[in-house]
Amino acid sequence: MYVNVKDFGSSGTGVSDSTPAIQAAINSIQNGTIYIPEGEYVVSTIALPKGKHINIVGSGLGSTILLQRENGSSILQMEGIGTTIGAVDRAVFRD
């Protein structure tokens, strides 16, 4: 399955918070690909629930940019059983 975060209301303008749209896209599938098109996406923490097999892809280096909403917060967190097992502070998208 393939979903685009813009279908969930993300604008990619770098102004509004894209966290709810990206999280909704992740929550909508069990296995598949989340596509984040070219643009700047302001985000806080996005949870990747345990048991899902999801690829997150963008439009390429310098084209899809995730901006931290709050300085010092993680962008992505992978959830374990009742605990966070890992976090990513930056996201880089490759062609």
Side-chain angles (χ1 to χ4, degrees):
M1 178 169 221
Y2 172 95
V3 297
N4 185 322
V5 297
K6 289 198 173 189
D7 293 338
F8 291 84
S10 183
S11 66
T13 62
V15 178
S16 60
D17 187 358
S18 293
T19 305
I22 294 171
Q23 191 66 60
I26 290 169
N27 294 344
S28 74
I29 63 173
Q30 182 65 31
N31 301 306
T33 299
I34 306 296
Y35 176 60
I36 305 176
E38 181 176 354
E40 293 185 352
Y41 299 84
V42 178
V43 295
S44 56
T45 300
I46 299 167
L48 300 174
K50 181 180 178 183
K52 290 194 176 205
H53 301 281
I54 296 174
N55 295 309
I56 299 175
V57 299
S59 292
L61 185 61
S63 296
T64 299
I65 301 167
L66 300 183
L67 303 169
Q68 284 183 310
R69 186 177 73 184
E70 298 170 9
N71 198 10
S73 66
S74 296
I75 294 174
L76 301 174
Q77 290 187 346
M78 297 174 287
E79 298 177 350
I81 300 173
T83 185
T84 298
I85 59 174
V88 177
D89 293 324
R90 289 181 208 92
V92 176
F93 295 92
R94 297 188 180 141
D95 292 326

